[in-house]
Amino acid sequence: MSDLDATTPRVFLARHGETEWTKNGRFTGKTDLSLTANGATQVAGTAAQLVGPGRLIDPVRLARVIVSPRHRARQTFQLLFGEENANNHGHAVDEAKVTFTESIAEWDYGDYEGLVVSEIRACRKEKGLDGERAWDIWRDGCEGGESAEQVADRLDALVSEIRAIQQPYMNGEQPVDVVLVAHGHILRAFVKRWLRYPLEAQLPMMLSPGGIGVLSYRNHDVNEPAFFIGMSLPPQQ
């Protein structure tokens, strides 16, 4: 498979743009923040370059767009696929293909909502936790929120749903790309479960606010999930 022919189905991971809490590293789960002006600019730049007819994410090739219901994700969806993106004029995604769902909402941080990592570790130390090793969300989850096991379970259900959509068309019989519009932690967790890694597995990843990641399958085989570490892009039209 060449990167450009895009015959094997793909899953695009779209992280929302910057918020006020993104800037200082505060854990933002259910708190319904808006994008900053810079965050909107980040997403608009991505949309202009990568979303639209003939671009990397082409609306006519999409089977589903799955969006977190949080406001910052909804704003990002609109900047990518709405009239805000001039590339989309006359090429909007069919509303029937768009789903807003908690299945791709950010990790529920529970008691750690609004805190930074150092504050979380200090709080846990006061409780006598983590005596031998530092807190790690991928292993320890969040007090009052979701455990790693709970996150893995809901993402596994979503992975299965996406594979059921794409499996009949692994050789390009029809375009069935999927886009997830969501958040930093949950999208990185999704990558691990897509690759069938446990969440506690060491797989350092970065996904910038407003950025796009790409998953697919090796050898046109639904049983060989993979991720792109680099790919060629369609020429600009």
Side-chain angles (χ1 to χ4, degrees), residues 18-94:
E18 176 193 83
T19 69
E20 286 297 333
W21 283 11
T22 304
K23 293 192 294 184
N24 52 28
R26 297 197 175 278
F27 278 36
T28 318
K30 293 183 176 180
T31 304
D32 223 4
L33 300 181
S34 298
L35 302 182
T36 62
N38 183 58
T41 298
Q42 290 169 334
V43 179
T46 296
Q49 296 295 321
L50 300 182
V51 181
R55 287 171 166 75
L56 178 65
I57 304 176
D58 189 331
V60 302
R61 298 191 60 82
L62 299 180
R64 293 281 299 280
V65 182
I66 301 171
V67 187
S68 164
R70 303 295 172 259
H71 183 56
R72 56 198 183 276
R74 289 175 176 268
Q75 284 182 285
T76 297
F77 165 75
Q78 286 298 326
L79 288 165
L80 292 173
F81 296 105
E83 291 299 312
E84 292 87 343
N85 180 358
N87 299 333
N88 294 332
H89 292 172
H91 302 276
V93 175
D94 185 344

Side-chain angles (χ1 to χ4, degrees), residues 27-237:
F27 278 36
T28 318
K30 293 183 176 180
T31 304
D32 223 4
L33 300 181
S34 298
L35 302 182
T36 62
N38 183 58
T41 298
Q42 290 169 334
V43 179
T46 296
Q49 296 295 321
L50 300 182
V51 181
R55 287 171 166 75
L56 178 65
I57 304 176
D58 189 331
V60 302
R61 298 191 60 82
L62 299 180
R64 293 281 299 280
V65 182
I66 301 171
V67 187
S68 164
R70 303 295 172 259
H71 183 56
R72 56 198 183 276
R74 289 175 176 268
Q75 284 182 285
T76 297
F77 165 75
Q78 286 298 326
L79 288 165
L80 292 173
F81 296 105
E83 291 299 312
E84 292 87 343
N85 180 358
N87 299 333
N88 294 332
H89 292 172
H91 302 276
V93 175
D94 185 344
E95 291 184 4
K97 296 181 179 180
V98 181
T99 303
F100 296 90
T101 173
E102 292 285 341
S103 64
I104 198 60
E106 184 58 292
W107 199 309
D108 182 350
Y109 297 128
D111 298 347
Y112 305 154
E113 183 80 3
L115 303 181
V116 299
V117 171
S118 60
E119 293 171 332
I120 294 169
R121 289 179 172 166
C123 289
R124 289 176 65 91
K125 184 176 181 180
E126 289 178 2
K127 296 178 180 180
L129 302 173
D130 311 325
E132 297 183 358
R133 57 188 182 182
W135 172 78
D136 181 349
I137 190 172
W138 303 106
R139 179 188 62 237
D140 303 316
C142 299
E143 292 180 286
E146 286 184 296
S147 66
E149 291 78 13
Q150 288 171 318
V151 170
D153 285 346
R154 70 174 164 102
L155 291 180
D156 287 351
L158 182 57
V159 168
S160 294
E161 179 183 340
I162 292 170
R163 288 193 177 142
I165 293 169
Q166 296 182 330
Q167 185 170 11
Y169 310 106
M170 297 304 292
N171 291 287
E173 294 86 350
Q174 73 179 51
V176 285
D177 287 343
V178 171
V179 179
L180 305 182
V181 184
H183 314 268
H185 256 131
I186 206 65
L187 289 175
R188 285 179 285 154
F190 184 90
V191 171
K192 289 186 177 183
R193 297 310 300 151
W194 182 263
L195 299 174
R196 300 180 176 136
Y197 290 0
L199 289 191
E200 64 269 23
Q202 293 298 309
L203 186 64
M205 291 174 281
M206 300 173 69
L207 181 58
S208 299
I212 300 290
V214 190
L215 303 172
S216 188
Y217 310 86
R218 296 177 63 246
N219 303 316
H220 303 272
D221 188 341
V222 74
N223 295 310
E224 296 189 43
F227 66 93
F228 284 96
I229 59 172
M231 64 186 302
S232 59
L233 299 176
Q236 294 292 307
Q237 295 186 352

